[in-house]
Every structure is written in C-alpha cells, then in structure tokens.
Amino acid sequence: MRYLFFLSLLFFNVTISSSAELLASGTRIHLTATAETERVNDEVQVTFRIEKEGRNSDKVRRFVNQVSADIQRQLQQENGLQQQTISRHMQAVWRYPEHQAAVRTGWRMVQVERITSQDLDALPHWLEAIEKQGAILNHVQFRVSQRAMQEAESELRQQVMQRFLSQASELTQAIGGERFHLITLHAHQVNAQPQQQAKTLMLRASATMQD
C-alpha cells in the first residue's frame, strides 16, 4: 500500500524593504518538499469463515462456536497472535414449492474471523490449523504493521522539515530577507495504489513563505 503524506507550512519572512506596510505584511511564497521511504511487510492477516446449515438453529450455533473455540486452542500458543470475530449472522433457509407458500427448511450461520501476527514463518501452521477444523479460508494479506508505519512517518516528518527549513533559509537569503517564521502547519495522508511486497511512504510538504 502506497501512502502519501502532505505537510503544509506557512512561513512569515521579514525583508529589508523600507515600506512599513510591506514590512508588516510580508510576501508569501509557496514551497514544496517531499520525502519517501519503503518498509517491507512485517505483518500478516488471515481471514476465514465458519459455515453451518441445519434444521435446528441451536445446534447450528453450537457447531460454529465449537469450531471457533477449537481454532483458538490450536493457535493460543502462538506469541503475539490476535484472533478477532469480524461478523456473525444467522439466516433462515427457505424452499419455494411451485404454487405453494414458502417453507422454511432450516438455518444457516456464517461467522467471519481474522487472525493477525508478525510471525510470518508460522503462516503455514495457521492455515493448516484453520482448515483442519473445518473453516474456509477467505484471503491472506501481507502488510506493514502499524508500529512500523508510525516509525516511518516520524522519520519522514523529520526529513521533510529539514528540507523545508533548508529551502526557506536559502530563499530568504536569496531575496535579501532577514528571517522567516513558521505560522501554520497542516498534515494529512492519502492512500494510493496497493503494493504486494512493500509499502512506500511519501511525505510531501508545501509551504507559503512571507517576506
């Protein structure tokens, strides 16, 4: 997944102009700087579902609960693994005889769960344990963990701020200014196209200087 971060800054720069009005208001100049890095996937998510259909709703529910508990027991020895129920619903199963009223023939329950871990080497074991208990695999997703993302964002912010300060200082000197001031700061991120093997982080900063 590619992440794009925008950092907007507003600078106030005092010039050597003799005009009191210009000296008070200054001149605003727009600047842009970017910083980019990549992080390898260090986390995996496995999503699976447990399905059961039968005439007795209580038996259907207990079956789903048992399969979920069995999977949890199989994986409970894995350090740092998180298991979460995403959705759970039961619906009636109907038969529609020709020229007759619909007849309920049973119940169908579906429970979707997700496990998350940073132990990528243990993935084959999880998949085997899930399927062995009768659950159905939906998909496997490799991604960059939240902790790694936050560390990368912090590094990028430092990099882009250093580039901004360098650009602002050079521009201030080039136009004969004496100093500049940071007035406002805005930051946000935009998700771009997914990537399978790594996540690219980009921090883009735009600034307005006032001289």
Side-chain angles (χ1 to χ4, degrees), residues 6 16 18 26 61 72 91 111 129 142 153 174 186 197 200-201:
F6 295 90
I16 59 175
S18 58
R61 179 184 58 81
Q72 187 171 4
Q91 61 184 24
Q111 179 166 309
F142 296 93
E153 291 173 22
H186 305 283
Q197 298 300 325
T200 299
L201 309 178

Side-chain angles (χ1 to χ4, degrees), residues 5 8 12 21 29 32 81 86 92 97 107 111-112 119-120 123 138 140 148-149 152 154 158 177 179 183 196 202 211:
F5 298 90
S8 300
F12 176 77
E21 182 178 353
I29 303 173
T32 299
L81 186 144
I86 301 176
W107 298 91
Q111 179 166 309
V112 180
D119 187 2
L120 275 61
L123 177 61
N138 281 2
V140 178
M149 281 289 297
S154 177
Q158 294 178 10
R179 64 184 184 273
I183 298 177
Q196 183 66 23
M202 179 180 293
D211 68 37

Side-chain angles (χ1 to χ4, degrees), residues 61-103:
R61 179 184 58 81
R62 284 186 289 170
F63 175 87
V64 172
N65 291 345
Q66 186 62 53
V67 172
S68 178
D70 291 342
I71 293 175
Q72 187 171 4
R73 272 194 300 272
Q74 289 282 332
L75 302 177
Q76 65 183 359
Q77 296 180 352
E78 301 289 341
N79 294 328
L81 186 144
Q82 299 177 354
Q83 185 172 349
Q84 177 185 12
T85 298
I86 301 176
S87 66
R88 175 184 172 98
H89 67 270
M90 179 182 289
Q91 61 184 24
V93 178
W94 297 89
R95 182 170 59 87
Y96 299 91
E98 189 175 359
H99 306 302
Q100 298 182 30
V103 179

Side-chain angles (χ1 to χ4, degrees), residues 8-158:
S8 300
L9 301 95
L10 182 64
F11 290 94
F12 176 77
N13 180 55
V14 180
T15 70
I16 59 175
S17 172
S18 58
S19 168
E21 182 178 353
L22 286 177
L23 188 62
S25 62
T27 302
R28 297 186 177 187
I29 303 173
H30 188 79
L31 295 178
T32 299
T34 62
E36 184 176 351
T37 187
E38 288 190 357
R39 291 292 187 270
V40 298
N41 294 317
D42 63 343
E43 188 171 82
V44 62
Q45 285 190 336
V46 179
T47 305
F48 61 92
R49 68 185 188 275
I50 306 168
E51 300 181 355
K52 180 62 176 178
E53 184 175 321
R55 302 181 68 86
N56 187 297
S57 62
D58 188 56
K59 290 183 178 180
V60 169
R61 179 184 58 81
R62 284 186 289 170
F63 175 87
V64 172
N65 291 345
Q66 186 62 53
V67 172
S68 178
D70 291 342
I71 293 175
Q72 187 171 4
R73 272 194 300 272
Q74 289 282 332
L75 302 177
Q76 65 183 359
Q77 296 180 352
E78 301 289 341
N79 294 328
L81 186 144
Q82 299 177 354
Q83 185 172 349
Q84 177 185 12
T85 298
I86 301 176
S87 66
R88 175 184 172 98
H89 67 270
M90 179 182 289
Q91 61 184 24
V93 178
W94 297 89
R95 182 170 59 87
Y96 299 91
E98 189 175 359
H99 306 302
Q100 298 182 30
V103 179
R104 180 173 56 79
T105 59
W107 298 91
R108 182 172 184 269
M109 187 172 189
V110 178
Q111 179 166 309
V112 180
E113 299 191 18
R114 179 173 60 206
I115 58 175
T116 305
S117 177
Q118 295 184 9
D119 187 2
L120 275 61
D121 294 335
L123 177 61
H125 169 65
W126 306 338
L127 300 182
E128 181 181 357
I130 291 170
E131 292 185 312
K132 185 178 179 180
Q133 299 301 327
I136 303 171
L137 292 171
N138 281 2
H139 66 270
V140 178
Q141 179 185 9
F142 296 93
R143 65 179 194 175
V144 177
S145 65
Q146 184 66 25
R147 183 184 65 180
M149 281 289 297
Q150 292 174 348
E151 292 175 353
E153 291 173 22
S154 177
E155 294 175 4
L156 289 177
R157 285 191 174 90
Q158 294 178 10

